[in-house]
Amino acid sequence: MSESPRTAHTFELGPAELLEIRTLLTDAFHGGFSDDDWDHSLGGIHALVHEDGELVAHGSVIQRRVIHAHRSLRIGYIEAVAVRADRRRRGLGGLVMETLERVIDGAYEFGALSASDDGAELYRARGWRLWEGPIAAQGLGRVIPLPDEEDSTYVRPAASRPLPAPGRKLIFDWRDGDVL
C-alpha cells in the first residue's frame, strides 16, 4: 500500500535518498535521464511516494522565470515525474502531481511543464493545457525561438489566478541541457 506523498526541499534530502531518487529516474527513463535533467530537478520541492519503504514515485517543482508581455513571472516548473515500472497505472503519478500542484497554487503565478508523449495524457486529465502561443528562451544576448517545444509545453493556472494570454510568447530562462 502506498504511503501519502511526502514533500521535502532538496536541502532536506540526504545523499542516500538523492541516490534513490536518481536511480528511480534513470530506470523510469530507460537510461535517458541525463546529468542536466537531474540538475534541473533539484533546488525545489520534491514529492515522494513510498510503498513498503521503497521509493515508487517522484516529481519535483522548481522555480523558473518566464517573461510574458514584458513582465517577469515566477512560475512553478514540474520536473522529473516518474513512477517505478511495476507500479504504473495505479494513480501514483496523480498523487505526485496533486502534491506538486498544491505547491504551485500556493507559491507561483502558474505552472508549466514539458510533457513526453507518455505523460501528456496524465497532465491533460488533470487540467493542464497545451500552451497555444509561441515559446522561446532568453539566451545570451538574444531571445531564441523554440518552435519544437510548442507541441509539448503545458500550463496550468495557479489557484484562481488567470493564465497569461497565448497571443504573446512565453520566454523561459536559459539553462544547460534541454531548456524545457
Side-chain angles (χ1 to χ4, degrees):
M1 180 175 206
S2 300
E3 300 171 15
S4 294
R6 176 173 75 91
T7 58
H9 192 279
T10 301
F11 88 89
E12 297 174 296
L13 303 172
E17 197 163 21
L18 288 168
L19 178 60
E20 185 180 30
I21 295 167
R22 179 72 192 259
T23 300
L24 171 74
L25 294 168
T26 298
D27 292 347
F29 290 98
H30 309 290
F33 195 79
S34 71
D35 289 343
D36 285 327
D37 295 330
W38 175 241
D39 185 61
H40 297 165
S41 72
L42 302 175
I45 303 295
H46 299 259
L48 305 120
V49 179
H50 291 84
E51 285 183 353
D52 301 320
E54 293 184 24
L55 181 66
V56 295
H58 170 272
S60 62
V61 60
I62 59 144
Q63 179 178 303
R64 293 198 65 183
R65 285 286 176 177
V66 170
I67 298 171
H68 180 268
H70 304 289
R71 288 191 58 226
S72 177
L73 305 172
R74 187 183 70 251
I75 68 161
Y77 195 82
I78 301 289
E79 292 283 1
V81 175
V83 176
R84 204 169 80 182
D86 64 338
R87 299 298 199 275
R88 292 183 182 150
R89 306 286 180 225
R90 297 182 183 182
L92 298 176
L95 282 174
V96 166
M97 288 303 297
E98 179 182 354
T99 302
L100 298 176
E101 289 162 358
R102 281 196 314 270
V103 174
I104 290 169
D105 287 346
Y108 298 105
E109 295 288 325
F110 65 94
L113 58 83
S114 181
S116 66
D117 291 340
D118 292 337
E121 182 180 334
L122 167 68
Y123 306 127
R124 281 193 303 269
R126 297 196 56 77
W128 290 76
R129 299 190 299 249
L130 188 65
W131 175 253
E132 296 177 2
I135 302 280
Q138 180 62 55
L140 299 174
R142 66 185 178 98
V143 173
I144 301 166
L146 299 173
D148 293 345
E149 301 295 342
E150 292 174 5
D151 63 348
S152 62
T153 301
Y154 285 76
V155 293
R156 176 188 172 276
S160 60
R161 295 187 273 297
L163 284 171
R168 306 287 292 269
K169 72 179 80 165
L170 289 181
I171 305 171
F172 285 82
D173 53 346
W174 187 261
R175 60 186 186 175
D176 292 336
D178 293 330
V179 176
L180 299 182

